[in-house]
Amino acid sequence: MIIDTHAHYEDDRYNEDRDALLSSMPRQGVGLIVDVGAGIRSTEGAVALSEAYDFVYASVGIHPEEIQQLTPGHMDWLEGLAAKEKVVAIGEIGLDYHYQEPDQELQKQWFIRQLELAAKVKLPVIIHSRQAAQDTLDIMTAHCDWAQGGVIHCFSYGWEMARQYLEKGFYLGIGGVVTFKNSKKLKEVVRLAPMDKLVLETDAPYLAPEPDRGKRNSSLELIHVAKAIAELKGMDVEEVIRITEENAKALYRLPRQAGRSV
Ligand code: NI
């Protein structure tokens, strides 16, 4: 089965057809989805979806662009959610220097707090890092419990940075970008990375792969990502789907039988 390790179905862009779309996933080959919290509302939405669908799991955490919503009390709230049975990770958390705001020092503080929470509750982390490669690595070196594992979501750096995370046992989240013509750097990373460290992700509703680039994304598009990886690795697409399923289950410590294969 295909596992989508990173999607945002709580997003308003699914308000019209969320249930029909999600309910159709297993019979179309997508057997398990991890819905990832980004803000306060989206974290609540992710947990609610994990409670409504047997094949949906949740991650709880606050994205660097959403941290201005937070007060120290929110850490207790996150810790409470992290104890729920179908919450499998802390994320997405990290650093994003693409825009001027929020202030970088503030981003670092909340990143560190959430890394420390993950270490405390013993869950893997989902890392969002954009244009902040060195600061992300420095903070993780100081504050991440590497033994809990995690994934660098929408990996966007070069091979040298990839290698550092792979050496720590982390996974790389590969999504629609790998199908883009101009994604030379990511294609090289996929070619060089060991197959047992790659997981499929959409970041839906964002980052739809070719041939649907620019449209609303969904886990049904992951077949295009799997095909692109298969081509880069010289493998069958079925093999890519099988191995990435195992990898995703290892990353989030899901039982082998988790998910729904119809
Ligand atoms: Ni995301």
Side-chain angles (χ1 to χ4, degrees), residues 178-192:
V178 77
T179 68
F180 299 170
K181 260 208 180 93
N182 56 359
S183 69
K184 284 209 180 84
K185 203 167 60 171
L186 181 61
K187 288 188 169 99
E188 187 194 45
V189 167
V190 168
R191 230 179 262 123
L192 294 171

Side-chain angles (χ1 to χ4, degrees), residues 102-174:
D103 175 74
Q104 294 183 1
E105 288 310 310
L106 203 62
Q107 290 192 35
K108 289 180 192 170
Q109 281 175 27
W110 284 108
F111 184 27
I112 291 169
R113 283 190 184 125
Q114 293 185 90
L115 282 173
E116 288 172 346
L117 172 66
K120 184 177 175 191
V121 299
K122 298 195 186 315
L123 284 178
V125 287
I126 299 173
I127 303 297
H128 172 104
S129 177
R130 182 160 62 153
Q131 294 170 20
Q134 196 57 48
D135 279 2
T136 302
L137 185 62
D138 289 347
I139 286 179
M140 289 184 67
T141 302
H143 300 279
C144 183
D145 180 357
W146 298 103
Q148 299 307 323
V151 56
I152 312 295
H153 140 68
C154 195
F155 189 80
S156 60
Y157 302 130
W159 172 244
E160 269 316 300
M161 198 47 77
R163 219 167 41 85
Q164 312 245 23
Y165 290 106
L166 292 167
E167 278 172 7
K168 299 287 193 186
F170 265 49
Y171 293 82
L172 306 180
I174 309 298

Side-chain angles (χ1 to χ4, degrees), residues 174-179 199-202 207 209-210 221-230 240:
I174 309 298
V177 176
V178 77
T179 68
V199 292
L200 303 178
E201 63 169 37
T202 52
L207 291 173
E210 295 288 2
E221 300 276 345
L222 278 177
I223 187 68
H224 301 298
V225 175
K227 279 181 184 161
I229 295 173
V240 170

Side-chain angles (χ1 to χ4, degrees), residues 6 8 92 153 203:
H6 189 124
H8 303 283
E92 55 187 292
H153 140 68
D203 207 21

Side-chain angles (χ1 to χ4, degrees), residues 5 11 24 31 60 100 149 152 162 223:
T5 60
D11 190 279
S24 77
V60 301
Q100 299 289 340
I152 312 295
I223 187 68

